[in-house]
Amino acid sequence: MISLRPASEADEKFLWLLRNDVAIRNALYLRRAASLSDYRRELGQILSDQTQKIYIVADNLVGDVGFVHLVENATHISLKIGISANDRGRGYGRQAVALTKQEYANMNLDVPLVVRIPPAYYKTYFFFEACGFVEVGVQLESKMLILEWKP
């Protein structure tokens, strides 16, 4: 059983390691790894920004296995998710998306949850499609596929 808990400064090193994971970096279009001091600043900005929420995906038997990052704007809420390399393929991502969708639906917001996926990441595309997201377009400058979910 997993849960989502709000991230804090105490999660800095775990989140930094995930942020620098090559697969996660590539999926999120982050071009380079971040130093711990750079990430410390980045996390501080995220935690102090009212339009962003970052959660730790935790398994009550295994411990912390990933993150969910939500960024609100006027037209949608961007969803970013990362699961640690050792914990991929165990259903944590699907469960984390389901919990995020459930929490989001309870908020009664009138904007969709949106994910942006690099075109070569067909497994990620099919993952989000299986989670109920629907393709709505392509971001022209980056060629990223845009999928959204509405309750």
Side-chain angles (χ1 to χ4, degrees):
M1 178 111 189
I2 72 155
S3 62
L4 300 178
R5 65 170 175 78
S8 70
E9 290 87 3
D11 299 305
E12 171 186 284
K13 187 155 186 185
F14 174 71
L15 289 168
W16 171 66
L17 291 170
L18 286 176
R19 187 254 186 248
N20 284 336
D21 176 279
V22 173
I24 292 172
R25 253 189 18 240
N26 289 339
L28 298 178
Y29 261 36
L30 301 170
R31 304 254 182 244
R32 63 177 184 82
S35 68
L36 183 55
S37 61
D38 285 346
Y39 186 72
R40 184 174 293 127
R41 281 190 296 280
E42 184 180 327
L43 181 60
Q45 291 170 349
I46 292 168
L47 294 175
S48 65
D49 184 345
Q50 295 298 315
T51 66
Q52 298 189 58
K53 294 179 177 69
I54 190 162
Y55 298 95
I56 300 297
V57 179
D59 180 312
N60 59 354
L61 297 176
V62 176
D64 297 342
V65 297
F67 71 88
V68 171
H69 183 188
L70 301 171
V71 181
E72 296 179 43
N73 72 41
T75 61
H76 65 275
I77 297 177
S78 292
L79 168 63
K80 300 174 184 178
I81 185 169
I83 301 298
S84 67
N86 292 337
D87 297 307
R88 292 181 195 138
R90 297 182 182 175
Y92 293 126
R94 195 173 299 255
Q95 292 176 62
V97 170
L99 285 175
T100 302
K101 286 169 50 178
Q102 180 181 6
E103 181 177 317
Y104 174 80
N106 292 336
M107 294 165 60
N108 295 317
L109 298 174
D110 196 27
V111 295
L113 274 177
V114 171
V115 293
R116 288 176 176 77
I117 302 169
Y121 278 66
Y122 64 92
K123 286 183 181 180
T124 304
Y125 178 91
F126 292 127
F127 166 81
F128 279 104
E129 192 176 56
C131 290
F133 285 73
V134 177
E135 184 176 339
V136 294
V138 176
Q139 189 173 355
L140 295 178
E141 61 274 4
S142 66
K143 309 255 189 302
M144 297 247 266
L145 302 171
I146 302 170
L147 285 79
E148 71 176 27
W149 177 82
K150 294 180 185 176

